[in-house]
Amino acid sequence: MSRFFAASESESESESSEGEDIPVVKPVAGKVAQAFTFSDDEEDTKRVVRSAKDKRYEEIRNIIKQLKNHKKIKDMSNVLSDFEDLGRAYDKAKKVVEKEGIPRFYLRALVELEDFVSECWEDREARKQLSKNNAKSLTTLRQKLKKYNRDFEQGISDYRENPDQDEEEEGSDDEERDSDEEEEDDDDDKDENDTQMIADFIKKPPPSKPNVSKFLKDGDEDSGDESDWGDESDESSELSSDDEKYGGNLALKFLKKTTEQEKAKKDAKKKEVKERKQTKKVDKAQDEDEGEWEQVKGGAPMIAEKPKMFGKDVEINHKVVCMKLIEIVAARGKKGTDRNEQINMLIELNSIASENNLGPAMEAKIMFNIAAALFDYNPNIATCMRAEMWERCIEFVLELLNLLITNKEISVGEDITEESEQLEVAPYLVRGCILTVVERMDEEFTKMLQGCDAHSTEYVERLRDEKKVCDIIDRLVVYLEGRSSNEELCRAYLKKIQHLYYKYEPVSPEGQKNSEEVMETLCRFIHTKDQTDRIRTNAILCQIYHHAIHDRWYQARDLMMMSHLQDTIHHSDVPLQILYNRAMVQLGLCAFRQGMIKDAHHCLVDIQSGGRAKELLAQGLLLQRQHERTPEQEKIEKRRQMPYHMHINLELLECVYLVSAMLMEIPYMAAHEFDARRRMISKNFHHVMRVSERNPLVGPPESMREHIVAASKAMKVGDWKACRDYAINEKMNKKVWDLFQNTAETCEMIVSKIQEESLRTYLFTYSSVYDSLSMDNMAEMFELPKATVHSIISKMIINEELMASLDEPTQTVVMHRTEPTRLQSLALQLAEKVATLVENNERIMEQKMGSFFTYQKQGQQGGFQGRGDRQNRGGAGGYQQYGRGDRNQNREGGRQGYQGNRGGQGGYQGNRDRQQNRGQRRDQRQY
């Protein structure tokens, strides 16, 4: 026990002090008693009373902290859930917010989250790498956050204008934290002082040495104890050391003590807090006095020098520059190559070559490599360039083209090898193709437009670059004319056509050729000089499109018919088929504007019948029901999409198609109302009509389709005014008709067509009611000229659509009443259906009667087999028995054959009777 309690001395000291009493140590009251108690009282914490504001704000702060952690790892699903929790926590704190106002830290959290979402949304590459769940969560979060922030627009805008106020509040919070740290340090010092006071209080003089010998019975026991407990010198040394160390008081051994390292840490912490306070005060003073300051760590900043292109004493000549160019170009495509640095090195090499007057050929060679490096900057084919790289690309291509035009002694071409290049002396030979560079630039321009949001200002800014692109193509055409082959000229002309064919030119500028003459010149050259069918087909379709948008209907139609493209287009590639669809659509719209309703319907029916007009015109992708596209297929189809400024309005297209179908279908339905075998001119129009008829309650029309359906129903009963009002009104003008260049003329044409077709429908529907009709009344009823009414009725009589005759003196139409009434029409339909049923039954009976001929053949085969078996096997007894059995089989086969023969004769006779009956019924129907 002496090893754990140093209240007594070693045994040798105790022998010398026998007879002394052992002192009784009483527990010290107060703090000393608490220092030695290890009960659950130490674990009791003080209860803190907090206000509702602190509780709610602390809950919001905890959620914001979780939100920041999830934003760091871009866990979008958890970010979305944290945002929803944050909204719920804010709703709980509504009462506090109404009193105190919206907390500044909450606005800061919303602003940071909005910036984070916009940054993630703009990074398309990172968005594609997200998982399906995270991508969906990001889309949902973007929509919800945009809707949620509408309630805090004023606060967010104020915060964005003055975020420094929030930093000042953070600074005050830091000061409070520093003061809290100081208080904690003071508390630690107090704890140390309390510990020292406890030690001083319980420190007492060492107790007298106790007499332990009286506990021993005799000396033998004492000697035995010595042998049992071992050497007493070790124990006495340990006890003496503990006494010397703690001054005879073991209570200090179990008290909390601070080491020198802990003291050093606390001192450093205090010093850091003081330095932080001083730094903040100095920063605030500097900001107030001298504006913004940049804090520099580690002394003066190190300026990284760029590696020099050539050494100091190196002579700059063609050979050295070519070697350096080969060295730079050799690093293209390698892993770890900085593409931006490579472009900068090529630009620097070009400037060095121009400074040392190495000639225009060397500059052209370096600039060809610069253009290639700019195109290779973006390794992904599906994505477009960055805006700054695109601007640099346009500048370098234009500079290269101007260099080649200025220096006519430079000859460039892909057939020139690097060994045969001539860069020092004129005439210069440089390997490269300026036409390929311009074509690649045009492809990048298309990808830039495809990558922009069509309704954003960025798209408008990029579209302004089309003028620069067209100028470059014009300069390219000027450069190639007279010095390149016909094949290259055809390619250059096609590029110019592709930027011209879809643009409507109402009036050509003075002193310039109009677009029709330019298109005619370029296309005629391609028709005569091109050796490939693809470029010629592209030029023909572009010319048809250009004729159609300028209302040159007959030229466009004749060009389409003479080219026979409708027969061979299915074997062409997909971009060519897309251009064909666009040309056919514009041809249909042109025919509609010219009043060619049937031609317009025939041009548009293939595009509109399948419901895939958007996809066939390359204006967007539709969801496929049968199978999903693979990511590769989706990328390929997105690359084929047309830029937004080249789109054709799909609502206008559908409206023109439905109006054309209405003007053709309604009179046809009225003429063949009781015809069971009437054909459908437009399936899509019938589908729209059936959908409208299924509705139990039809309200006033709102959409474009509903207007056309209402107009069709009005035309069906001959009410042409209601039909006109439904088809042409203010709402339809804004949606559809104002998109035409000649709106007034188009609307007048539609009204006249509605009047004419309504007259035809009226005559078909009510001809069985009248004995005669006055043409004057018809002209007045439908507000048509009398000559037009006379012409329409005459055509109907000639085409045998209307059984009537014209009485010229009285100007009346006399009906012949040869059309059957409704009852007669229904009776004829019933007779035809019964005749069809009878024919089907007879056909089934003929199939059954064919089995009798099969039985007859089986009987004949059985008879022949029995006769042969009797002749061959009738000798022996066993064979005689076999022959007898075959005779039975022969008799049975003969009987079946006879019955089959009789049945066949009866079937033949029945067939002749049926044919006679059919002929008689047909004659009766004709009569």
Side-chain angles (χ1 to χ4, degrees):
M1 297 296 290
S2 62
R3 293 181 182 272
F4 304 101
F5 295 100
S8 61
E9 296 293 332
S10 63
E11 195 170 326
S12 59
E13 294 177 352
S14 63
E15 290 178 355
S16 61
S17 60
E18 291 180 0
E20 293 183 5
D21 296 333
I22 300 174
V24 179
V25 181
K26 295 181 180 179
V28 181
K31 291 184 180 180
V32 183
Q34 292 180 1
F36 291 103
T37 56
F38 298 97
S39 63
D40 295 335
D41 296 338
E42 290 182 351
E43 299 178 0
D44 294 339
T45 57
K46 293 182 180 180
R47 295 183 62 186
V48 179
V49 179
R50 294 183 300 170
S51 62
K53 174 185 173 183
D54 296 337
K55 289 181 182 179
R56 299 305 179 192
Y57 282 7
E58 184 179 359
E59 183 181 1
I60 295 174
R61 284 194 177 97
N62 291 334
I63 296 173
I64 292 174
K65 186 177 180 182
Q66 293 179 0
L67 181 64
K68 288 181 179 179
N69 294 334
H70 291 143
K71 282 195 296 184
K72 288 178 182 177
I73 60 175
K74 292 190 176 180
D75 188 356
M76 297 301 172
S77 57
N78 282 329
V79 169
L80 177 60
S81 61
D82 291 339
F83 172 70
E84 293 172 351
D85 295 341
L86 188 64
R88 286 191 286 268
Y90 181 80
D91 292 338
K92 290 181 182 178
K94 271 288 180 62
K95 294 181 179 179
V96 178
V97 172
E98 290 174 357
K99 293 180 181 178
E100 304 290 336
I102 302 174
R104 188 84 172 171
F105 66 88
Y106 189 75
L107 295 174
R108 180 181 64 216
L110 293 179
V111 170
E112 291 176 353
L113 183 59
E114 186 178 2
D115 296 340
F116 171 75
V117 171
S118 61
E119 181 182 354
C120 293
W121 188 262
E122 291 173 358
D123 192 357
R124 293 186 178 89
E125 293 297 327
R127 223 191 325 153
K128 291 177 182 176
Q129 296 175 0
L130 290 175
S131 63
K132 188 175 181 180
N133 191 16
N134 280 341
K136 186 177 179 181
S137 300
L138 177 61
T139 307
T140 308
L141 176 63
R142 182 169 174 264
Q143 296 172 353
K144 288 188 175 181
L145 182 63
K146 187 177 180 181
K147 185 177 179 181
Y148 186 77
N149 283 358
R150 291 174 186 168
D151 300 334
F152 303 93
E153 285 182 357
Q154 186 64 34
I156 290 174
S157 60
D158 295 342
Y159 177 83
R160 288 189 182 277
E161 291 175 0
N162 187 18
D164 298 335
Q165 181 180 351
D166 193 63
E167 294 177 0
E168 292 175 2
E169 293 179 1
E170 289 181 356
S172 62
D173 293 341
D174 292 339
E175 291 179 1
E176 291 177 2
R177 288 194 212 102
D178 296 340
S179 62
D180 293 340
E181 291 176 357
E182 289 181 356
E183 289 177 2
E184 290 178 0
D185 296 336
D186 296 340
D187 293 338
D188 293 340
D189 296 341
K190 288 180 182 179
D191 293 339
E192 292 179 5
N193 295 333
D194 292 341
T195 306
Q196 188 64 32
M197 289 173 61
I198 293 168
D200 294 339
F201 182 77
I202 64 175
K203 189 174 181 182
K204 289 186 177 182
S208 60
K209 299 176 182 178
N211 187 7
V212 191
S213 60
K214 69 178 181 178
F215 297 101
L216 301 175
K217 293 181 181 179
D218 50 13
D220 295 335
E221 292 178 0
D222 189 15
S223 61
D225 291 337
E226 290 175 1
S227 61
D228 293 337
W229 290 95
D231 192 6
E232 296 179 359
S233 60
D234 298 334
E235 297 178 5
S236 61
S237 62
E238 290 179 4
L239 292 172
S240 62
S241 63
D242 289 340
D243 288 338
E244 292 173 0
K245 186 174 181 180
Y246 298 105
N249 192 357
L250 274 181
L252 297 176
K253 184 175 182 179
F254 300 102
L255 290 175
K256 181 181 177 182
K257 52 186 176 295
T258 58
T259 60
E260 294 181 358
Q261 294 180 355
E262 293 177 352
K263 288 182 178 180
K265 286 182 181 179
K266 290 178 181 179
D267 294 340
K269 194 173 182 181
K270 291 179 182 179
K271 188 176 180 182
E272 184 180 354
V273 171
K274 291 179 181 178
E275 288 178 355
R276 199 188 306 164
K277 283 184 178 182
Q278 293 176 359
T279 306
K280 286 182 180 178
K281 291 179 181 178
V282 171
D283 290 341
K284 286 181 181 179
Q286 289 177 350
D287 291 338
E288 292 173 359
D289 297 339
E290 302 178 6
E292 296 182 356
W293 285 76
E294 182 179 358
Q295 188 173 0
V296 180
K297 294 183 179 180
M302 300 294 292
I303 301 174
E305 295 183 359
K306 292 183 179 179
K308 294 182 179 180
M309 192 70 68
F310 301 104
K312 292 182 179 179
D313 301 330
V314 176
E315 182 182 358
I316 307 299
N317 54 26
H318 292 83
K319 185 177 180 180
V320 173
V321 173
C322 286
M323 292 295 293
K324 193 66 179 178
L325 178 62
I326 293 171
E327 179 185 348
I328 295 172
V329 174
R332 278 178 59 190
K334 290 185 178 180
K335 188 177 181 181
T337 303
D338 189 355
R339 299 184 184 90
N340 197 13
E341 184 65 27
Q342 195 177 28
I343 294 170
N344 295 332
M345 290 175 69
L346 288 171
I347 294 172
E348 185 180 355
L349 185 64
N350 187 28
S351 62
I352 291 172
S354 61
E355 288 173 1
N356 290 273
N357 298 322
L358 297 183
M362 180 58 71
E363 294 182 20
K365 182 176 177 61
I366 296 173
M367 291 183 72
F368 271 117
N369 287 281
I370 291 174
L374 286 169
F375 293 136
D376 292 345
Y377 182 80
N378 187 14
N380 193 355
I381 303 175
T383 57
C384 60
M385 283 184 174
R386 292 189 303 178
E388 58 271 15
M389 299 305 295
W390 164 247
E391 292 173 358
R392 293 175 70 179
C393 178
I394 290 181
E395 293 175 1
F396 277 103
V397 172
L398 185 59
E399 186 178 351
L400 174 59
L401 194 56
N402 291 333
L403 179 66
L404 295 177
I405 293 173
T406 306
N407 300 278
K408 296 182 179 180
E409 64 275 7
I410 301 177
S411 297
V412 297
E414 292 180 336
D415 53 346
I416 301 173
T417 60
E418 293 185 358
E419 291 78 12
S420 60
E421 283 184 328
Q422 183 65 34
L423 304 175
E424 300 180 8
V425 183
Y428 302 110
L429 297 176
V430 180
R431 177 176 173 79
C433 182
I434 184 62
L435 177 59
T436 306
V437 173
V438 174
E439 286 178 343
R440 183 70 188 275
M441 180 201 68
D442 187 57
E443 291 175 4
E444 290 295 333
F445 176 65
T446 304
K447 286 199 289 187
M448 290 287 293
L449 294 175
Q450 290 172 349
C452 297
D453 184 8
H455 304 285
S456 64
T457 56
E458 182 186 2
Y459 188 88
V460 178
E461 292 175 0
R462 291 280 71 82
L463 193 58
R464 290 173 183 165
D465 294 334
E466 189 183 15
K467 188 175 185 301
K468 299 178 183 177
V469 175
C470 292
D471 292 340
I472 290 174
I473 293 174
D474 291 339
R475 297 180 70 82
L476 174 68
V477 169
V478 172
Y479 171 75
L480 292 178
E481 285 177 347
R483 69 173 67 193
S484 61
S485 62
N486 290 333
E487 181 184 357
E488 291 182 343
L489 264 179
C490 289
R491 289 165 58 189
Y493 284 166
L494 182 62
K495 280 295 169 190
K496 187 170 182 178
I497 288 171
Q498 288 175 347
H499 283 273
L500 181 65
Y501 79 97
Y502 63 90
K503 296 176 181 175
Y504 177 73
E505 186 182 37
V507 180
S508 60
E510 295 181 0
Q512 296 183 6
K513 288 185 178 181
N514 57 15
S515 59
E516 182 183 1
E517 295 175 358
V518 175
M519 288 286 294
E520 186 68 27
T521 304
L522 299 177
C523 293
R524 186 182 292 113
F525 181 87
I526 292 175
H527 296 337
T528 55
K529 303 292 184 182
D530 180 49
Q531 301 297 326
T532 61
D533 292 336
R534 191 178 188 282
I535 295 179
R536 188 188 304 113
T537 306
N538 265 289
I540 291 172
L541 291 173
C542 291
Q543 193 174 10
I544 292 170
Y545 192 104
H546 193 262
H547 282 315
I549 62 175
H550 288 87
D551 289 337
R552 295 188 287 269
W553 156 249
Y554 292 104
Q555 293 93 319
R557 184 199 63 179
D558 295 343
L559 192 57
M560 177 64 78
M561 298 299 291
M562 287 188 298
S563 63
H564 297 285
L565 287 175
Q566 57 271 20
D567 300 329
T568 60
I569 196 64
H570 300 289
H571 304 290
S572 304
D573 55 354
V574 176
L576 208 57
Q577 293 182 19
I578 292 170
L579 183 57
Y580 173 80
N581 293 337
R582 288 168 55 80
M584 287 298 295
V585 164
Q586 286 295 350
L587 198 62
L589 295 177
C590 176
F592 182 80
R593 289 193 294 268
Q594 298 299 315
M596 311 291 182
I597 303 300
K598 288 186 178 180
D599 294 324
H601 183 269
H602 293 331
C603 291
L604 300 177
V605 66
D606 292 334
I607 303 296
Q608 286 295 130
S609 59
R612 297 172 54 236
K614 186 176 184 179
E615 191 171 355
L616 293 174
L617 297 175
Q619 297 182 184
L621 299 179
L622 298 175
L623 294 176
Q624 295 182 349
R625 296 178 182 177
Q626 288 80 9
H627 59 279
E628 293 184 358
R629 299 182 185 90
T630 61
E632 290 299 326
Q633 289 176 347
E634 190 170 353
K635 287 181 181 178
I636 292 171
E637 292 188 9
K638 282 184 178 179
R639 266 182 271 162
R640 294 177 184 147
Q641 300 301 304
M642 304 300 295
Y644 183 74
H645 69 284
M646 298 173 67
H647 282 193
I648 300 170
N649 191 288
L650 296 177
E651 192 172 13
L652 169 66
L653 180 62
E654 186 180 6
C655 181
V656 168
Y657 172 73
L658 291 177
V659 170
S660 302
M662 177 188 73
L663 295 175
M664 294 173 62
E665 193 77 58
I666 297 299
Y668 181 81
M669 291 169 62
H672 302 81
E673 184 178 1
F674 306 112
D675 189 358
R677 296 183 180 178
R678 69 182 179 192
R679 60 183 180 87
M680 287 190 295
I681 298 175
S682 172
K683 292 183 179 179
N684 194 8
F685 179 77
H686 278 274
H687 174 70
V688 172
M689 293 292 289
R690 281 196 300 268
V691 170
S692 175
E693 290 171 359
R694 288 175 193 163
N695 294 333
L697 180 61
V698 180
E702 295 181 0
S703 65
M704 179 270 300
R705 286 187 182 181
E706 293 176 354
H707 277 85
I708 302 302
V709 169
S712 302
K713 291 179 180 179
M715 181 185 282
K716 211 170 184 179
V717 297
D719 189 358
W720 72 273
K721 292 184 179 179
C723 179
R724 177 198 61 188
D725 295 338
Y726 282 126
I728 298 174
N729 50 55
E730 186 177 356
K731 186 182 290 186
M732 288 291 287
N733 290 342
K734 289 181 180 178
K735 284 186 175 182
V736 179
W737 307 124
D738 287 345
L739 300 176
F740 284 130
Q741 53 265 25
N742 299 321
T743 306
E745 297 176 3
T746 305
C747 291
E748 289 177 4
M749 182 273 299
I750 294 171
V751 171
S752 65
K753 290 294 178 182
I754 288 174
Q755 289 172 327
E756 294 174 6
E757 298 303 326
S758 298
L759 173 60
R760 284 166 47 81
T761 306
Y762 185 84
L763 291 174
F764 283 135
T765 306
Y766 301 108
S767 61
S768 60
V769 179
Y770 292 100
D771 291 331
S772 62
L773 286 168
S774 173
M775 283 194 290
D776 294 334
N777 291 339
M778 291 290 101
E780 184 180 354
M781 182 184 298
F782 291 96
E783 297 183 8
L784 286 170
K786 192 174 180 181
T788 305
V789 175
H790 187 276
S791 173
I792 293 171
I793 295 175
S794 299
K795 286 180 182 178
M796 293 176 68
I797 293 172
I798 293 169
N799 296 331
E800 297 183 356
E801 295 175 344
L802 183 66
M803 297 304 172
S805 58
L806 286 175
D807 187 10
E808 291 294 337
T810 59
Q811 291 293 311
T812 57
V813 182
V814 180
M815 300 298 174
H816 293 173
R817 287 189 172 275
T818 56
E819 287 85 2
T821 61
R822 179 177 178 81
L823 180 61
Q824 293 171 348
S825 300
L826 294 175
L828 287 174
Q829 289 183 21
L830 179 61
E832 288 181 357
K833 290 181 179 179
V834 170
T836 305
L837 181 61
V838 171
E839 289 178 0
N840 292 334
N841 291 335
E842 290 174 353
R843 193 176 296 112
I844 293 171
M845 288 298 295
E846 287 175 1
Q847 293 176 0
K848 290 185 177 180
M849 294 302 293
S851 61
F852 290 112
F853 295 102
T854 305
Y855 291 147
Q856 183 180 5
K857 291 180 181 179
Q858 290 178 357
Q860 292 175 356
Q861 291 175 359
F864 292 141
Q865 184 179 2
R867 190 180 302 113
D869 288 338
R870 284 198 305 275
Q871 291 175 358
N872 294 330
R873 299 184 179 90
Y879 292 108
Q880 290 174 359
Q881 184 68 27
Y882 187 83
R884 189 178 300 115
D886 289 335
R887 277 198 305 274
N888 296 332
Q889 186 177 0
N890 186 15
R891 293 193 193 99
E892 184 66 26
R895 189 180 300 112
Q896 291 178 357
Y898 175 71
Q899 292 176 356
N901 189 12
R902 291 186 63 188
Q905 292 177 357
Y908 174 71
Q909 184 66 30
N911 191 14
R912 290 186 61 188
D913 295 339
R914 282 195 298 275
Q915 290 178 356
Q916 292 176 0
N917 293 334
R918 285 180 198 163
Q920 292 175 1
R921 285 197 300 271
R922 192 180 300 113
D923 295 339
Q924 290 175 2
R925 284 198 300 271
Q926 290 177 357
Y927 177 74

